[in-house]
Amino acid sequence: MKYLFFLLTTTCILSFVSCKRACYRCTQYCAYCISKTDSSISYKICANAGIGNSRVDAERDSLQASNHYCSRLVDEKTICDSKSGIDDALVYFQKQDYYCTPKE
């Protein structure tokens, strides 16, 4: 009976260790600008691998100076899931203009 309990406990521990969870830090940093003269004209500029936060700020400042109302969208999420579930979460957040990087 002790052997069976030991075997069952060991199996459970090994199965939990093998289901390693991956974590990502997803950040949204965007500028959203609407023309003061024609509200049908709008721009959305977001930070990503090639465009940093400072570039988004510079674009926002430039658009504000050229007759636009601008606001910033800033948010951060941490997502953790199994290897099989993390891909769907990453796709969802990237569609929402989040830039995701692996979290250590």
Side-chain angles (χ1 to χ4, degrees), residues 18-76:
S18 67
C19 295
K20 186 176 179 180
R21 294 168 49 100
C23 290
Y24 283 80
R25 184 174 145 240
C26 296
T27 305
Q28 180 189 54
Y29 194 90
C30 299
Y32 183 72
C33 300
I34 300 173
S35 172
K36 290 180 182 177
T37 57
D38 185 355
S39 62
S40 67
I41 300 173
S42 64
Y43 301 95
K44 186 175 183 183
I45 305 129
C46 296
N48 57 35
I51 299 174
N53 294 0
S54 59
R55 177 130 179 240
V56 171
D57 290 338
E59 293 286 336
R60 186 193 73 221
D61 293 344
S62 173
L63 285 168
Q64 277 182 322
S66 66
N67 214 16
H68 288 77
Y69 294 111
C70 294
S71 62
R72 251 190 319 187
L73 306 172
V74 180
D75 195 17
E76 187 173 303

